[in-house]
Amino acid sequence: MPDVKVSNLNKIFGDNVVLDNVDFTIKDGEFFTLLGPSGCGKSTTLNCIAGLEQPSSGAISVGDTTFVDTDKKLFVPPEGRNLGMVFQSYALWPHKTIADNLAMPLQIRKVDKTEQRRLIDEALDKVGLLHLRERYPHQMSGGQQQRVALARALVYSPSVLLLDEPLSNLDAKLREQARAWLKRLQEDLGITTVYVTHDQDEALALSDRIAVMSNGYMIQVGTPTEIYETPATAEVAAFVGRCNFLEATVTDVTSTGAALKLEANGQQMTVDTPEKVTVGDHVTVAVRPEKLAVLPADDTAMPGTNVISAEVLTTSYLGSRFEYDLKVGDHVVQVVNDRGGLAGAVNLTVDPDACLIFPQADVLSEDAQALLTVAP
């Protein structure tokens, strides 16, 4: 399967810049996800690759074939690209059987009927629905319809598979099962795949690499581990998974990072970081909820950890874990812990190397701003 290369892609609707110099390469056989909130430009990027949108400027190629080059006034229409696409709505013909739905793209390509049947049966077998070839869409569950839409996209052996939030119509349990099945299928086929979603769990579970988008920009591209553990900005940290944010001032620079004074309650903490900071800098400290531990106020913390005074606001039991909302000064901090029954005054502990710091000038997303809300 070929690489996909997108170069300096721009898309403007009137005065609205939807894509701003988007640039990336998807490797052969890679599962590459475009992740971001609604309106960030991820679906527009996918539609430009598919040929459903014409870029204002830029170039797109798959392998040695160029589909778009605005400098050369080159634009290959969707039917000339041999790309498979699954839409959010599945877009199945309700009056046609499953086999007839799969036959449509083959008929357009003038494949003879004997070959059509072979290809249809082969595609349905890949998604485990060969025994349902004569059913109609309304006779199938949402998960089965999603598999039919995927089989239709695969039936003519596309060079690249494009998926636009294909699991969003499924309930939570079925979505979890579907993404595991989709990942196995993609690995078995080895097909280069571009996936669009706003669901962080989907992106982390499915992807070889993720591109996080915001306001038409790509703000970070990396593996799921890189995106989650070392986000490039506070906005990435806020959008991918949950994260606590506390404002602080640098009081000292150490050999491994910095000493900070928290603005929420005036307490001191240390952070190990490669970021260059100077005394007096205002920074935002980011900590994932699972990196924090909660101890009764009279318990002794491990040497070398930061200890922050807090007060339990709420406790939620979620079966495999407890989730706490804690008051630190005038801020709310979320913690995931396996220890229940904590109430009143407690201590938060966190290792210096479990914290990230960002310049306070970083523009935070709404998700991040919500976590900076003043506590009741």
Side-chain angles (χ1 to χ4, degrees), residues 36-102:
S38 297
C40 70
K42 57 188 185 296
S43 289
T44 302
T45 302
L46 192 77
N47 289 336
C48 286
I49 296 171
L52 302 176
E53 291 284 357
Q54 190 158 350
S56 303
S57 63
I60 300 170
S61 61
V62 174
D64 296 328
T65 305
T66 300
F67 291 153
V68 177
D69 190 329
T70 54
D71 289 342
K72 297 179 180 178
K73 296 183 169 44
L74 172 64
F75 180 82
V76 176
E79 62 271 20
R81 300 191 183 197
N82 193 41
L83 306 176
M85 187 158 184
V86 177
F87 298 92
Q88 183 176 344
S89 64
Y90 308 148
L92 300 176
W93 294 98
H95 63 291
K96 292 181 179 291
T97 66
I98 299 313
D100 288 341
N101 266 276
L102 266 66

Side-chain angles (χ1 to χ4, degrees), residues 109-258:
R109 289 164 174 79
K110 295 182 169 51
V111 176
D112 70 67
K113 288 190 176 181
T114 302
E115 183 66 3
Q116 280 185 36
R117 184 176 182 90
R118 185 188 71 79
L119 292 172
I120 289 167
D121 287 356
E122 188 178 274
L124 287 174
D125 189 47
K126 285 175 183 173
V127 301
L129 294 178
L130 180 56
H131 62 296
L132 301 180
R133 72 187 314 280
E134 298 306 323
R135 286 198 184 178
Y136 289 86
H138 71 272
Q139 297 173 316
M140 310 182 83
S141 68
Q144 288 172 330
Q145 290 183 41
Q146 179 259 337
R147 291 191 183 200
V148 172
L150 185 57
R152 185 179 57 187
L154 295 171
V155 72
Y156 50 90
S157 299
S159 56
V160 176
L161 185 60
L162 309 176
L163 305 173
D164 192 359
E165 306 213 41
L167 309 184
S168 61
N169 292 328
L170 306 180
D171 63 51
K173 193 70 175 178
L174 190 56
R175 184 183 305 178
E176 194 173 305
Q177 294 170 355
R179 74 183 183 215
W181 168 83
L182 178 60
K183 180 62 175 175
R184 289 195 302 270
L185 179 67
Q186 191 270 338
E187 288 178 344
D188 289 345
L189 297 176
I191 188 170
T192 306
T193 301
V194 190
Y195 192 90
V196 162
T197 187
H198 64 274
D199 187 307
Q200 310 142 33
D201 290 340
E202 272 182 24
L204 293 170
L206 287 168
S207 311
D208 294 312
R209 283 191 303 148
I210 300 169
V212 183
M213 298 187 68
S214 178
N215 297 318
Y217 293 95
M218 276 192 172
I219 49 180
Q220 187 174 2
V221 179
T223 66
T225 301
E226 290 167 345
I227 295 291
Y228 189 82
E229 299 290 347
T230 55
T233 67
E235 186 166 11
V236 174
F239 189 76
V240 182
R242 291 184 296 170
C243 202
N244 298 297
F245 296 94
L246 291 167
E247 296 177 3
T249 302
V250 178
T251 57
D252 192 17
V253 177
T254 67
S255 59
T256 58

